Amino acid sequence: MVKLMLALDVMDKNKALEIVKETSEYIDAIKIGYPLVLATDLKIVKEIKELSNKEIICDFKVADIPSTNEKIAKLTLQYADGIICHGFVGEDSVKAIQNIAKENNKKVIMVTEMSHPGAVMFMQPIANELAKLAKKLGVDGVVAPSTRPERLKEIKEIVGEISIISPGIGAQGGDLEKVLRILSNDDYIIVGRSIYNSESPKESAKMYKEKLKNNF
Ligand code: NUP
C-alpha cells in the first residue's frame, strides 16, 4: 500500500502534539520542516518521535557545501529517521549527508522536481538529471510532484526501485487517483494542510488512509 506521510507544518507545539495524537492511527510517517522546528526547537522532533513511534522525516531541504551539510545532518539525525536534501548542489554535498546517515542507519531523501508552479522555471529542466544522480548515489528516496503526474511518472521510471515521496495532494490540487496509478507500495504521498487545517484532522487522515487502502 502507498503510505501516508503527514506534513506537520503547524507553528504551535501543543497543536502539533494534538494533531499527532489524533491522526496517528491513520498515518505512516510524519514530516517535520522549518515551520515547526523554528517555532519551537529541534527537540520537538524527538518529542514527536517518542509520542508517535512513527517514521519521522525532517524536511530541511539541505543545500550547502559538504562540511555544512554534514553538520546539519548530524544534528538532525540524532532524532529523525531521515532527512530531505537538495541534489542541485552536487554529488559531494549529497554524499556528505549520506555518510552521516549510513553511520546512523538513517534515510536520505533527495528532491528532484518540486510540486509548486515555480518549479518549472529552474528545477524541471534539470529534474531528470537529478533523478539520475539520486539513482547513481543510491539515496533512500526522492521527492517528486503529485501536481504533475506525467513528471512523477517520468521521474519514477528513472529512479526505478527508489521510493518516491510525493507532495501536492490536497491543498496543492494534485489528483490522487492519477497519482495512485503511478506510485507503488512503499512510496508515500505527503499531505499537510488538508489534514491539519481541516475541521477534523482525524477524519481527514482517515479519509486519505482509506483511499490509499482501496487504491482510490
Ligand atoms: O516539492 C515539494 N513540495 C512540497 O509541497 C517538496 C516539499 N517538501 N513540499 C512540502 O510538502 C511542503 O513544504 C509541505 O511541507 C508539504 C506539502 O504540504 P501541503 O501542500 O499538503 O500543505
Side-chain angles (χ1 to χ4, degrees):
M1 201 201 311
V2 171
K3 296 179 185 167
L4 178 57
M5 184 180 288
L6 169 68
L8 195 57
D9 295 326
V10 295
M11 294 186 281
D12 177 83
K13 181 174 170 172
N14 290 334
K15 189 168 180 201
L17 299 177
E18 192 49 47
I19 289 167
V20 169
K21 276 190 234 158
E22 254 188 74
T23 58
S24 75
E25 73 183 282
Y26 305 112
I27 60 177
D28 301 290
I30 301 170
K31 187 176 78 63
I32 298 176
Y34 292 119
L36 183 56
V37 166
L38 295 177
T40 58
D41 63 54
L42 187 60
K43 289 252 171 69
I44 189 76
V45 177
K46 182 170 186 263
E47 205 167 323
I48 288 173
K49 176 74 189 174
E50 286 167 1
L51 175 69
S52 66
N53 206 22
K54 302 285 176 192
E55 181 178 31
I56 310 285
I57 303 297
C58 274
D59 186 359
F60 292 161
K61 297 192 185 70
V62 188
D64 216 312
I65 60 168
S67 79
T68 306
N69 272 7
E70 195 178 299
K71 290 175 185 144
I72 297 168
K74 265 188 192 154
L75 287 166
T76 306
L77 294 175
Q78 300 174 84
Y79 309 127
D81 300 301
I83 185 166
I84 297 179
C85 69
H86 272 301
F88 65 77
V89 276
E91 189 170 325
D92 51 352
S93 291
V94 179
K95 274 187 181 162
I97 300 177
Q98 282 184 297
N99 290 339
I100 302 298
K102 274 188 196 124
E103 281 169 17
N104 297 286
N105 213 11
K106 305 282 172 109
K107 288 186 180 177
V108 178
I109 297 161
M110 211 188 92
V111 178
T112 58
E113 179 171 321
M114 292 184 71
S115 58
H116 62 306
V120 303
M121 282 179 83
F122 301 119
M123 297 204 79
Q124 192 174 78
I126 60 161
N128 289 5
E129 292 306 309
L130 291 172
K132 284 178 203 159
L133 177 64
K135 188 166 166 91
K136 178 184 162 199
L137 295 178
V139 297
D140 306 286
V142 296
V143 176
S146 277
T147 47
R148 287 178 222 103
E150 69 295 347
R151 295 290 303 135
L152 180 64
K153 186 161 184 270
E154 212 172 322
I155 290 164
K156 187 164 176 71
E157 278 163 11
I158 296 170
V159 300
E161 298 295 295
I162 295 176
S163 117
I164 303 259
I165 320 276
S166 191
I169 296 298
Q172 296 180 54
D175 182 335
L176 184 57
E177 199 170 351
K178 280 190 188 157
V179 164
L180 289 182
R181 273 188 236 125
I182 299 164
L183 296 181
S184 44
N185 289 341
D186 294 332
D187 290 338
Y188 299 72
I189 58 160
I190 299 173
V191 184
R193 285 165 288 176
S194 77
I195 293 179
Y196 66 74
N197 278 345
S198 83
E199 219 164 275
S200 167
K202 180 177 180 163
E203 286 305 314
S204 178
K206 184 178 175 197
M207 184 268 288
Y208 280 109
K209 188 66 181 175
E210 272 162 12
K211 286 186 173 178
L212 296 181
K213 257 191 210 157
N214 304 328
N215 212 359
F216 209 83

